[in-house]
Each structure stands twice: as structure tokens, then as C-alpha cells.
Amino acid sequence: MPTNRTLTVNGLSIHIAEQGEGPLVLLLHGWPETSHSWRHQMQPLADAGYHVVAPDQRGYGRSDRPEESDQYTILHLVGDVVGLIDALGAKEAIIVGHDFGAPVAWTTAMLRPDLIRGVAGISFPPTQRSPVPPTSAFRQHFGDDFYFLYFQHPEIPEAEFTRDLRTTFRTLLGGDNTQPVSTQVPAGSGFLDLFTEPDVLPDWLTEQDIDVAVESFTRSGFTGGLNWYRNFDRNWSLLAPWQGATITPPALYLIGGADHISRAFTDPAAIADFASDLRGIIDIPEAGHWVQLQRPDDVNTALLDFFKQL
């Protein structure tokens, strides 16, 4: 079973769940998740001989939540990964990220390849820096109602998501995410309107899992996590010195075969242009966006096969 403790990283208290001994593997969750989203990976990876660590990243769960939105840039998030590696007494790590955790993993591998044995991204591929600020690119390609732009509004998405936390997580996590959905949030509607709350949760998600999410976000709120999105343009400016840089550590990409959200605005085929040592792009059949929860055995097998190559 995983154990829990708190580490001091870059002046913040970062909560981690950890299990096993051996080479360090960091599992980075996305939005709106916590370390609990890796509950099906901890034991199998630990049993395979790895020290598996899943943090609540800054702004989430039991970790600290700086108030200022500019404390959630990609450089802060990468800095937390670097700090975690050091605080855990390791010289290097394999990093795996899902959803928004994937850009953190990809960027860490790009900026600090000396620390990264290998990098795996799930549900979000690495992307080249755009020629214009991201919010401008989003408007150009997807229109003013694209949900990333909805997340830019202060307080509005927070009010939507906290109105009824149980409904929020039953809808976001338990709704059928294997069917095509819109990425548009028109004026007068909300992000949750893109999904339908199920009467009965899917077999890979329990009411106890919903309890964990409700408890976690009752404590943390949503602002910290949404501030990750609110730094898109700031990140674009900060990463200007790495324009054209590539990811050099061995890399793997996994995506659910029915993950229509990620496929709506990303191109997995372009990964090879960005990752110079790409070991594979793996589609997990019939899985949606929460692939590591829906098809844990397939994800664990793919990750361990990749780890063995490193």
C-alpha cells in the first residue's frame, strides 16, 4: 500500500503518495485530479522494482496553493519536479504525466534532460511553441468559446465547479468520455454542460473515488488548478529561449482510442517532430480521456515495457 508524507519543495509543502524501492518514477496528475488518479499504477510499478511517487501538484489536494496566479507558470511546475527529485534523494527519474501533467513532464524532459531517464505522456502530446500567444491561437483555430478560454475567466469556472462538488465529479469523471463532445462553452453555459452526469457510475469508478475527489477539492478549491491554464500566454513568453528545442530523453505517448477531447485539438502524429527518441505512440482501444483509470492493465504494461528499455 502507498504511504503518504509531505516534502518541502521550493518553499512549498508538497504532499506525496509513494510505494516501492528502486529507480524513481514520478507520476504527475492532470486536471481536476490529485495523486489518487494513479491508484491503479502504484502497486504494479512498485512490484516491478520502482520507487513510485505521485505528488499532489501545487494548487491541488494536500499540497500548498499559492494565492498569486503567476506562481503557477510552467517553470514553477517544472521546478517542483526538479525539487522533488532532489528532495527524494535521487539523481534522475522517469516521469509520467497525464492530461495537464503531461506538458509538465514533456517540458521537464526538454529543459532538464540530465535529470530524466525517460518521459511518458498520457492524453496530451508535446507541442511546438506557437508563433503567437496561445490564447490568440485558440481564438483563431477554435473560436471564442473554446473551453481553455472559458477557464481564463476569474471566478466563473470556480463558481460552476464548486456549486455541487459531487455532481461536478460524477459528471467530469463518470460521464461517457468515449463519445465525441464539443469543446465549446457558449455564453450562458458552463463546461459541465458538455457532459452528462450518469445515473450509475462506470465500472472503473466508484462512489468512494468520488468521495476522495470531493474531499480533496473541498480542501483545495479549483483556483490553483485553473491557474495552470491561466498562465498559457505567460508560459509562451517564458519559453521563448527554447524556441525550436526538442525532447531528447527516450519518450512514449499513450492515448485512449476514444479520447475525443484530446484528439479534437492535438495531433499525436506530430510528436516525432518534437521528441527525437520517440519509442512509440500507443492507442489504448476503447478508452477515453481517463485512460489510466479505464484501462489500467494496458497502461501499466505499456509503461513497464517502456521502462525496461531505459
Side-chain angles (χ1 to χ4, degrees):
M1 293 288 293
T3 59
N4 296 272
R5 59 178 169 137
T6 298
L7 300 174
T8 299
V9 176
N10 296 321
L12 301 181
S13 294
I14 300 294
H15 169 264
I16 65 168
E18 64 182 331
Q19 189 169 358
E21 297 180 355
L24 177 61
V25 175
L26 290 179
L27 303 177
L28 308 177
H29 66 78
W31 182 91
E33 302 174 271
T34 63
S35 55
H36 186 66
S37 66
W38 299 107
R39 56 194 175 274
H40 301 310
Q41 282 66 54
M42 300 288 290
Q43 186 77 52
L45 300 187
D47 287 345
Y50 295 93
H51 178 197
V52 189
V53 175
D56 291 343
Q57 298 195 77
R58 69 166 62 197
Y60 287 94
R62 301 180 194 178
S63 293
D64 280 350
R65 303 174 298 281
E67 293 186 8
E68 300 83 0
S69 63
D70 63 2
Q71 295 300 298
Y72 295 86
T73 73
I74 193 65
L75 295 187
H76 288 90
L77 303 176
V78 169
D80 290 345
V81 175
V82 173
L84 275 170
I85 294 172
D86 181 66
L88 290 162
K91 300 298 183 184
E92 59 183 4
I94 303 168
I95 49 174
V96 181
H98 171 252
D99 185 76
F100 212 139
V104 178
W106 296 125
T107 307
T108 303
M110 182 180 72
L111 300 184
R112 292 300 307 271
D114 57 309
L115 296 177
I116 305 305
R117 292 181 62 199
V119 55
I122 304 175
S123 302
F124 202 101
T127 55
Q128 293 280 9
R129 183 173 178 269
S130 63
V132 297
T135 57
S136 298
F138 296 152
R139 288 189 174 89
Q140 178 182 347
H141 293 289
F142 303 108
D144 291 338
D145 295 333
F146 185 51
Y147 79 91
F148 279 5
L149 298 175
Y150 173 72
F151 286 174
Q152 303 302 309
H153 298 295
E155 300 183 3
I156 293 175
E158 284 96 328
E160 177 190 4
F161 298 138
T162 57
R163 189 172 299 120
D164 184 334
L165 284 173
R166 193 161 203 89
T167 296
T168 292
F169 285 104
R170 284 178 57 87
T171 303
L172 288 178
L173 300 179
D176 187 355
N177 63 93
T178 64
Q179 300 299 316
V181 296
S182 173
T183 60
Q184 306 297 305
V185 183
S189 64
F191 184 72
L192 296 178
D193 294 330
L194 304 181
F195 310 91
T196 301
E197 180 184 0
D199 294 327
V200 178
L201 293 176
D203 58 9
W204 52 268
L205 187 68
T206 69
E207 293 291 351
Q208 289 72 33
D209 294 327
I210 300 298
D211 291 341
V212 172
V214 169
E215 191 276 334
S216 294
F217 283 82
T218 297
R219 176 191 294 112
S220 69
F222 281 85
T223 298
L226 288 167
N227 280 338
W228 291 33
Y229 292 87
R230 292 165 181 160
N231 275 281
F232 277 136
D233 287 353
R234 186 176 283 113
N235 293 342
W236 181 82
S237 295
L238 291 171
L239 291 177
W242 290 275
Q243 176 74 36
T246 58
I247 295 168
T248 56
L252 177 71
Y253 182 61
L254 297 90
I255 187 170
D259 185 352
H260 299 284
I261 294 178
S262 292
R263 292 178 187 275
F265 57 91
T266 61
D267 179 12
I271 298 175
D273 297 331
F274 197 40
S276 61
D277 190 4
L278 181 63
R279 303 294 177 90
I281 298 175
I282 298 178
D283 275 7
I284 307 295
E286 302 178 2
H289 188 67
W290 314 108
V291 57
Q292 80 275 27
L293 300 177
Q294 292 172 281
R295 298 290 292 273
D297 291 344
D298 291 335
V299 169
N300 296 342
T301 296
L303 290 176
L304 288 172
D305 286 346
F306 174 59
F307 294 175
K308 291 174 184 176
Q309 302 174 33
L310 305 178

